Amino acid sequence: MSSHDLQPGPSSRPSEPVGALLRPRLLAPGPVETDPRTMLSLAQPQIHHRTPEARAIVQEARDRLRRLLGAPSWEVLIMTSSGTGAFETALLGLVPEGAPVLVASAGKFGERWGEMARAFGYVVSSVKKPWGESLDPQEVAAACGGMRALLITHSETSTGALHDLGAIARAAKQVNPELLIIVDAVTSYGVAELRPEEWDLDTVISGSQKAVAGPPGLGFVFLSPRAVSRLGGHTHRYYFDARKELASQQKGETAQTPAINLIASLSSSTERLLSVPLDVLWAEKARLNAALLAAGEALGCRPFASRPSPAVAALVPPEGISGKQVAGALASLGARAAAGQAPHQDDLFRISMMGYFDRYDALGAAGLLEDALVSLGAAVTRGAAVSRAWSVLSS
Ligand SMILES: *Cc1c(COP(=O)(O)O)cnc(C)c1O
């Protein structure tokens, strides 16, 4: 296949005949590619949610999700919503209206939790770092005095940065032992080292369409025993009511009609992730991501984040090429990646191995990236990206 075959066309598929034979790939940081068995598990006769069969499904899913968190003593709520709804459930369930909260952010998702907190009338203070940087534990801790809660994003998917959550939580609780730490772990759960008990976190949030690699539509709210004892929160809540949900879910039910088919699909989507110890899973995910970063560097890109998250390789393209162009060239090869998020849409592009992928898929992604950059006229040494990725994977 010569580089000539891979010129991006105006459509999302290449116009050359070979393009029709490429298979579509989901390399975006969510939603991600899903185990075909998980998709098939959705094709079952509809069951009713107030039945012993449904209760067994909900309890099994809750057990599996807790195992993937590595915190068996915690509670979990499965919400029929995206991850944002899970975050809203935690926030409203734990923080009374008008209370002061600290939002620590260095990118889009962190900023969103500030927007949400303002929308519900909390008194919001912020600690910010520029996009691509990681939060400084001492700086965050210094602002935690008098705060009811700290809202923080562990893996900032918009920049590809991972914050040192363990150090931040330790420093913050030293300053304010009463603080509730509410963590957006949407793209660190099941990917990055995350030790909720050891780090004394209170609430951890994720969703079905990131590392769990299921279809979108479920949000997860994990609650520490301390968080459970402090449930109460905002009076203006209804659907996203953590206390009401917990009472139902402890019995294997949900307060309203759940997406029971999606909940049932969690048993196959989590199977591969739970088949190895968590530290083995985290190490392999980190290796896949490091392979993509190395492939990008071999092609003249550089990492956007100073402390990369294993959930997503965020790369600055070579001079004269925009992140949007790289994402477009990948789309021409059938691969859905992501550019940056506003206002940084042109400054970077993002590729993720969070989905139903293994190390050999990472080699394929390195090859795709090489062809995409060749099609955009970048000066690259043929084979460099795959070769660098392979050496990272085999190290
Ligand atoms: C995807 C994502 C979210 C948003 O999740 P939704 O499921 O779209 O509501 C929140 N935080 C981070 C870090 C994410 O990557």
Side-chain angles (χ1 to χ4, degrees):
M1 190 189 292
S2 78
S3 63
H4 178 76
D5 292 321
L6 301 170
Q7 294 299 321
S11 73
S12 66
R13 306 286 306 178
S15 49
E16 302 294 334
V18 67
L21 295 176
L22 293 173
R23 82 166 180 89
R25 288 176 171 81
L26 261 184
L27 306 179
V32 301
E33 272 185 40
T34 296
D35 181 344
R37 289 171 314 147
T38 297
M39 300 315 281
L40 279 173
S41 77
L42 296 171
Q44 297 293 324
Q46 187 59 51
I47 62 165
H48 194 277
H49 58 290
R50 308 276 183 222
T51 56
E53 189 187 356
R55 283 191 280 275
I57 287 169
V58 169
Q59 293 299 26
E60 193 202 328
R62 294 179 74 234
D63 286 346
R64 285 174 168 272
L65 292 172
R66 273 187 290 223
R67 271 165 56 207
L68 190 57
L69 185 68
S73 73
W74 282 38
E75 283 290 351
V76 58
L77 309 176
I78 303 173
M79 306 303 295
T80 294
S81 75
S82 77
T84 305
F87 201 93
E88 192 166 316
T89 306
L91 181 64
L92 297 185
L94 287 165
V95 188
E97 53 265 56
V101 300
L102 180 69
V103 176
S105 71
K108 192 64 150 197
F109 289 103
E111 286 166 15
R112 270 191 200 163
W113 308 133
E115 285 170 24
M116 179 187 280
R118 277 184 206 96
F120 286 108
Y122 296 112
V123 179
V124 178
S125 308
S126 315
V127 172
K128 277 194 183 198
K129 281 276 192 200
W131 285 45
E133 289 184 23
S134 286
L135 293 160
D136 173 40
Q138 295 311 323
E139 209 178 302
V140 176
C144 284
M147 293 292 154
R148 183 76 169 216
L150 167 64
L151 317 187
I152 187 166
T153 300
H154 186 196
S155 162
E156 180 48 79
T157 320
S158 64
T159 68
L162 188 74
H163 299 308
D164 188 351
L165 184 59
I168 293 170
R170 197 178 323 118
K173 289 251 167 127
Q174 260 163 23
V175 168
N176 180 355
E178 288 305 299
L179 187 75
L180 287 166
I181 302 181
I182 302 179
V183 180
D184 166 356
V186 175
T187 59
S188 61
Y189 175 65
V191 184
E193 180 183 10
L194 174 59
R195 303 187 185 277
E197 290 176 328
E198 210 173 303
W199 297 350
D200 197 15
L201 309 176
D202 297 289
T203 304
V204 167
I205 271 84
S206 195
S208 54
Q209 82 279 27
K210 306 282 173 111
V212 166
L218 297 176
F220 313 131
V221 184
F222 296 95
L223 299 162
S224 71
R226 192 168 88 112
V228 169
S229 75
R230 289 180 60 175
L231 284 179
H234 204 293
T235 41
H236 295 149
R237 59 176 204 269
Y238 192 82
Y239 182 77
F240 295 114
D241 185 332
R243 187 184 262 172
K244 192 167 66 184
E245 255 336 302
L246 182 60
S248 294
Q249 297 207 10
Q250 282 173 330
K251 296 182 284 187
E253 298 210 351
T254 51
Q256 280 81 29
T257 311
I260 190 72
N261 313 50
L262 292 182
I263 297 175
S265 79
L266 290 171
S267 74
S268 60
S269 59
T270 55
E271 192 177 310
R272 203 172 59 115
L273 302 172
L274 290 171
S275 68
V276 291
L278 286 179
D279 51 356
V280 173
L281 173 67
W282 298 334
E284 181 66 358
K285 289 285 180 184
R287 227 176 269 120
L288 301 191
N289 196 66
L292 290 189
L293 288 173
E297 287 183 280
L299 299 169
C301 305
R302 61 183 172 77
F304 185 75
S306 48
R307 191 174 184 276
S309 163
V312 56
L315 286 156
V316 178
E319 193 66 36
I321 297 175
S322 75
K324 257 180 159 159
Q325 284 177 304
V326 178
L330 284 166
S332 299
L333 299 171
R336 167 69 52 186
Q341 283 175 277
H344 292 280
Q345 57 271 38
D346 286 334
D347 302 341
L348 66 153
F349 62 93
R350 296 170 297 150
I351 313 182
S352 174
M353 288 282 113
M354 244 184 320
Y356 180 60
F357 291 129
D358 66 16
R359 47 178 58 200
Y360 301 102
D361 295 306
L363 290 178
L368 275 163
L369 187 55
E370 184 169 313
D371 281 349
L373 282 165
V374 165
S375 77
L376 292 168
V380 311
T381 310
R382 275 309 207 167
V386 175
S387 163
R388 282 284 290 284
W390 210 328
S391 64
V392 169
L393 291 168
S394 54
S395 68

